[in-house]
Amino acid sequence: MTKRSVAMANEPLSGRIAVVTGAARGLGAYMAHALVRRGATVALIGLEEPELQRVAASLPGRARYWSADITDEGALTDAADSVRQCLGPPSVLVANAGVVAGGPFLHSDPAVWRRVVEVNLIGSCLTVRAFLPGLLATRGYYLQIASLAAITAVPMMSTYCASKAGVEAFAHALRAEVAHTGVDVGIAYLSWTDTDMIHTPVLRELRAGLPWPAGKIYPPQQVADRLVRGIERREPAVYAQPWLRAVQALRGGVPGVVMRRSRHQLHRLVSRGDIEATGLVGEGGRADEAARSAGARMPDG
């Protein structure tokens, strides 16, 4: 085996096309950096064109960006066609885009919890539908970003947990469906990652009441690097933190533990009046709301 062959074997992403949704900021942007450092050409998909441009310009390798709402099937199809024409068929798809809302379900805005499910679950499915033909051509790998919330639901994040449990089930089903084609499907499980999504009062209070290490915050680049190593190995389950593997094994008993702890914590928070619905949180949530508002204001024709 030549030195070049050895190098290529050690760099499975070298020369590959990788698509990352939700790439304008947060974990998506960090994953784009990690993929480029490993030799991939990255197609960035997101809502905010200026932020996508900034991320693409900051990457130390080949990258292009496409502005698209992942809940818009037509826009995603157009983006997938353009990626194929400009870069080639993708070998990697990372369905990362997502939004978060917290607070009591009963008092939350129905439009907000519908949007969480629409983006996190339906948007992920539409993303795969658009890019799966490319993955079939390359016998590629699809990584669905799930969460600790897919393993064990927690109060004040009921809609987010439902959406992440949904994409986990979707990815499991799709894995079995496409296994004979050579396409592999992975699910990424991660705990609190230090992005602007998690720094709201409700989520901060919720995190403070969790036992160690469930309440710990992890650096986003560390998380992104671990997920990209999982992509290189085409792992069916990628755990950003090793302890999540143990939680997975015990997931049947975890909801009861969560209920017993939260019963006391929520009583205290309700007594203090510290629980309010958040709406979509973080810069990504505000970008989503702005994009939908702009779309609503556009005239017909």
Side-chain angles (χ1 to χ4, degrees), residues 193-204 207 217 281:
T193 303
D194 194 7
T195 65
D196 63 3
M197 276 187 174
I198 70 169
H199 296 291
T200 62
V202 168
L203 300 187
R204 189 161 52 243
R207 192 173 63 251
I217 298 175
V281 304

Side-chain angles (χ1 to χ4, degrees), residues 45 66-68 73-85 130-131:
I45 310 290
W66 284 263
S67 179
E73 188 170 7
L76 269 179
T77 299
D78 290 344
D81 289 342
S82 183
V83 169
R84 186 181 65 254
Q85 293 168 9
F131 288 98

